[in-house]
Amino acid sequence: MNGNSATPAVRVAGFTLLELLVAMAIFALVGVMSLGGLNAVLGQQDIASRQLQRLQQVQRAIRIMATDFSQLNPRMVRDQLGSGLESPLMAECRAEGLVCFSRDGWRNPFWRQPRGTLQRVRYRLEDGKIIREHWHAMDITLSDEPRREVLLDKVTALEVEFLDRQGELQSVWPPDQT
């Protein structure tokens, strides 16, 4: 072998610093865009979750009200002083209620304790909340306190109308106050 022969230069394959910086910038840009998309999806999930919770609250309130109104009972009740009778269904009852009525079908889970199946119910709109009140006795006295349940909040208005025998909607019930 001859000492004059030069060995071929071996070139090492790799990336230059500029190529690495460009690749890292592209990777960072894709990461930032992905994070923005992920945040948008999580925000939409939160909004959808709150809307679903509100829908469940509305459905529950409507279900309770539909059950109450579907079980109306024609039983008259004594007024709070015990001197007269109140209609089984009244609009604007006792000055603060939207509607009061007698209903049937009140289950007794404590079957060993005697209790009737009729219930007096009142719906009110108070501070943007639909409130359902009921009493354990049909003939209410001044000392009887109702059981209260908030059915729905963030309510701006609630109107109750009644369909009479002629098919006309009435805002007052009973229509002739008899």
mmCIF file of all heavy atoms in Angstrom, residues 40-59:
data_model
loop_
_atom_site.group_PDB
_atom_site.id
_atom_site.type_symbol
_atom_site.label_atom_id
_atom_site.label_comp_id
_atom_site.label_asym_id
_atom_site.label_seq_id
_atom_site.Cartn_x
_atom_site.Cartn_y
_atom_site.Cartn_z
ATOM 1 N N ALA A 40 -61.035 24.128 23.618
ATOM 2 C CA ALA A 40 -62.356 24.405 23.048
ATOM 3 C C ALA A 40 -63.298 23.225 23.284
ATOM 4 O O ALA A 40 -64.465 23.409 23.642
ATOM 5 C CB ALA A 40 -62.238 24.714 21.566
ATOM 6 N N VAL A 41 -62.810 22.012 23.100
ATOM 7 C CA VAL A 41 -63.634 20.815 23.318
ATOM 8 C C VAL A 41 -64.027 20.702 24.787
ATOM 9 O O VAL A 41 -65.184 20.407 25.112
ATOM 10 C CB VAL A 41 -62.884 19.547 22.842
ATOM 11 C CG1 VAL A 41 -63.566 18.284 23.336
ATOM 12 C CG2 VAL A 41 -62.782 19.531 21.334
ATOM 13 N N LEU A 42 -63.086 20.954 25.697
ATOM 14 C CA LEU A 42 -63.409 20.887 27.121
ATOM 15 C C LEU A 42 -64.409 21.967 27.513
ATOM 16 O O LEU A 42 -65.301 21.727 28.338
ATOM 17 C CB LEU A 42 -62.136 21.009 27.960
ATOM 18 C CG LEU A 42 -61.181 19.816 27.890
ATOM 19 C CD1 LEU A 42 -59.922 20.095 28.691
ATOM 20 C CD2 LEU A 42 -61.849 18.542 28.362
ATOM 21 N N GLY A 43 -64.294 23.153 26.933
ATOM 22 C CA GLY A 43 -65.262 24.218 27.193
ATOM 23 C C GLY A 43 -66.643 23.838 26.694
ATOM 24 O O GLY A 43 -67.648 24.070 27.390
ATOM 25 N N GLN A 44 -66.730 23.257 25.518
ATOM 26 C CA GLN A 44 -68.015 22.813 24.980
ATOM 27 C C GLN A 44 -68.605 21.689 25.829
ATOM 28 O O GLN A 44 -69.816 21.629 26.033
ATOM 29 C CB GLN A 44 -67.859 22.352 23.529
ATOM 30 C CG GLN A 44 -67.560 23.463 22.554
ATOM 31 C CD GLN A 44 -68.673 24.488 22.507
ATOM 32 O OE1 GLN A 44 -69.847 24.152 22.557
ATOM 33 N NE2 GLN A 44 -68.300 25.756 22.444
ATOM 34 N N GLN A 45 -67.749 20.826 26.340
ATOM 35 C CA GLN A 45 -68.224 19.751 27.208
ATOM 36 C C GLN A 45 -68.814 20.329 28.490
ATOM 37 O O GLN A 45 -69.855 19.871 28.970
ATOM 38 C CB GLN A 45 -67.092 18.792 27.539
ATOM 39 C CG GLN A 45 -67.512 17.642 28.430
ATOM 40 C CD GLN A 45 -66.356 16.737 28.809
ATOM 41 O OE1 GLN A 45 -65.201 17.031 28.525
ATOM 42 N NE2 GLN A 45 -66.671 15.637 29.450
ATOM 43 N N ASP A 46 -68.186 21.346 29.040
ATOM 44 C CA ASP A 46 -68.697 21.990 30.255
ATOM 45 C C ASP A 46 -70.047 22.650 29.983
ATOM 46 O O ASP A 46 -70.977 22.518 30.781
ATOM 47 C CB ASP A 46 -67.681 23.021 30.757
ATOM 48 C CG ASP A 46 -68.111 23.645 32.068
ATOM 49 O OD1 ASP A 46 -68.485 22.895 32.990
ATOM 50 O OD2 ASP A 46 -68.060 24.892 32.166
ATOM 51 N N ILE A 47 -70.162 23.347 28.861
ATOM 52 C CA ILE A 47 -71.427 23.990 28.491
ATOM 53 C C ILE A 47 -72.514 22.936 28.293
ATOM 54 O O ILE A 47 -73.637 23.080 28.788
ATOM 55 C CB ILE A 47 -71.249 24.847 27.224
ATOM 56 C CG1 ILE A 47 -70.384 26.073 27.535
ATOM 57 C CG2 ILE A 47 -72.595 25.270 26.652
ATOM 58 C CD1 ILE A 47 -69.950 26.848 26.303
ATOM 59 N N ALA A 48 -72.189 21.868 27.586
ATOM 60 C CA ALA A 48 -73.167 20.801 27.350
ATOM 61 C C ALA A 48 -73.590 20.139 28.664
ATOM 62 O O ALA A 48 -74.765 19.813 28.853
ATOM 63 C CB ALA A 48 -72.591 19.763 26.392
ATOM 64 N N SER A 49 -72.648 19.973 29.581
ATOM 65 C CA SER A 49 -72.966 19.370 30.874
ATOM 66 C C SER A 49 -73.918 20.255 31.666
ATOM 67 O O SER A 49 -74.892 19.762 32.261
ATOM 68 C CB SER A 49 -71.677 19.139 31.659
ATOM 69 O OG SER A 49 -71.952 18.669 32.945
ATOM 70 N N ARG A 50 -73.681 21.578 31.682
ATOM 71 C CA ARG A 50 -74.576 22.490 32.391
ATOM 72 C C ARG A 50 -75.958 22.521 31.741
ATOM 73 O O ARG A 50 -76.972 22.546 32.436
ATOM 74 C CB ARG A 50 -73.972 23.891 32.437
ATOM 75 C CG ARG A 50 -72.897 24.019 33.515
ATOM 76 C CD ARG A 50 -72.408 25.441 33.681
ATOM 77 N NE ARG A 50 -71.337 25.644 32.716
ATOM 78 C CZ ARG A 50 -71.232 26.671 31.886
ATOM 79 N NH1 ARG A 50 -72.120 27.629 31.901
ATOM 80 N NH2 ARG A 50 -70.237 26.772 31.039
ATOM 81 N N GLN A 51 -76.010 22.507 30.414
ATOM 82 C CA GLN A 51 -77.299 22.514 29.725
ATOM 83 C C GLN A 51 -78.061 21.216 29.977
ATOM 84 O O GLN A 51 -79.283 21.225 30.133
ATOM 85 C CB GLN A 51 -77.110 22.757 28.235
ATOM 86 C CG GLN A 51 -76.708 24.175 27.913
ATOM 87 C CD GLN A 51 -76.470 24.395 26.428
ATOM 88 O OE1 GLN A 51 -76.339 23.450 25.658
ATOM 89 N NE2 GLN A 51 -76.419 25.654 26.032
ATOM 90 N N LEU A 52 -77.354 20.098 30.021
ATOM 91 C CA LEU A 52 -77.997 18.816 30.308
ATOM 92 C C LEU A 52 -78.543 18.804 31.731
ATOM 93 O O LEU A 52 -79.665 18.333 31.977
ATOM 94 C CB LEU A 52 -77.011 17.666 30.115
ATOM 95 C CG LEU A 52 -77.548 16.267 30.403
ATOM 96 C CD1 LEU A 52 -78.700 15.929 29.468
ATOM 97 C CD2 LEU A 52 -76.448 15.242 30.282
ATOM 98 N N GLN A 53 -77.800 19.356 32.684
ATOM 99 C CA GLN A 53 -78.273 19.435 34.055
ATOM 100 C C GLN A 53 -79.529 20.308 34.144
ATOM 101 O O GLN A 53 -80.488 19.956 34.813
ATOM 102 C CB GLN A 53 -77.174 19.993 34.955
ATOM 103 C CG GLN A 53 -77.534 20.017 36.414
ATOM 104 C CD GLN A 53 -76.392 20.557 37.260
ATOM 105 O OE1 GLN A 53 -75.425 21.115 36.776
ATOM 106 N NE2 GLN A 53 -76.520 20.394 38.568
ATOM 107 N N ARG A 54 -79.545 21.434 33.428
ATOM 108 C CA ARG A 54 -80.722 22.307 33.425
ATOM 109 C C ARG A 54 -81.916 21.595 32.786
ATOM 110 O O ARG A 54 -83.040 21.682 33.281
ATOM 111 C CB ARG A 54 -80.401 23.602 32.674
ATOM 112 C CG ARG A 54 -81.552 24.561 32.575
ATOM 113 C CD ARG A 54 -81.952 25.088 33.908
ATOM 114 N NE ARG A 54 -83.029 26.072 33.760
ATOM 115 C CZ ARG A 54 -83.640 26.639 34.751
ATOM 116 N NH1 ARG A 54 -83.294 26.374 35.990
ATOM 117 N NH2 ARG A 54 -84.596 27.501 34.547
ATOM 118 N N LEU A 55 -81.670 20.880 31.692
ATOM 119 C CA LEU A 55 -82.743 20.135 31.036
ATOM 120 C C LEU A 55 -83.331 19.092 31.981
ATOM 121 O O LEU A 55 -84.556 18.926 32.050
ATOM 122 C CB LEU A 55 -82.226 19.467 29.758
ATOM 123 C CG LEU A 55 -83.222 18.589 29.012
ATOM 124 C CD1 LEU A 55 -84.405 19.414 28.518
ATOM 125 C CD2 LEU A 55 -82.540 17.864 27.868
ATOM 126 N N GLN A 56 -82.486 18.425 32.748
ATOM 127 C CA GLN A 56 -82.982 17.437 33.702
ATOM 128 C C GLN A 56 -83.827 18.100 34.790
ATOM 129 O O GLN A 56 -84.851 17.555 35.204
ATOM 130 C CB GLN A 56 -81.809 16.670 34.326
ATOM 131 C CG GLN A 56 -81.143 15.721 33.374
ATOM 132 C CD GLN A 56 -79.855 15.131 33.929
ATOM 133 O OE1 GLN A 56 -79.250 15.663 34.851
ATOM 134 N NE2 GLN A 56 -79.425 14.020 33.343
ATOM 135 N N GLN A 57 -83.424 19.289 35.243
ATOM 136 C CA GLN A 57 -84.212 20.014 36.232
ATOM 137 C C GLN A 57 -85.576 20.399 35.662
ATOM 138 O O GLN A 57 -86.599 20.256 36.338
ATOM 139 C CB GLN A 57 -83.475 21.271 36.691
ATOM 140 C CG GLN A 57 -82.239 21.013 37.509
ATOM 141 C CD GLN A 57 -81.428 22.285 37.736
ATOM 142 O OE1 GLN A 57 -81.639 23.297 37.090
ATOM 143 N NE2 GLN A 57 -80.479 22.214 38.651
ATOM 144 N N VAL A 58 -85.602 20.897 34.429
ATOM 145 C CA VAL A 58 -86.865 21.290 33.803
ATOM 146 C C VAL A 58 -87.760 20.068 33.610
ATOM 147 O O VAL A 58 -88.961 20.116 33.904
ATOM 148 C CB VAL A 58 -86.603 22.013 32.463
ATOM 149 C CG1 VAL A 58 -87.889 22.208 31.678
ATOM 150 C CG2 VAL A 58 -85.917 23.359 32.701
ATOM 151 N N GLN A 59 -87.194 18.973 33.147
ATOM 152 C CA GLN A 59 -87.985 17.764 32.942
ATOM 153 C C GLN A 59 -88.563 17.247 34.254
ATOM 154 O O GLN A 59 -89.719 16.823 34.310
ATOM 155 C CB GLN A 59 -87.134 16.676 32.282
ATOM 156 C CG GLN A 59 -86.855 16.938 30.829
ATOM 157 C CD GLN A 59 -85.932 15.889 30.226
ATOM 158 O OE1 GLN A 59 -85.107 15.289 30.907
ATOM 159 N NE2 GLN A 59 -86.064 15.680 28.922
#
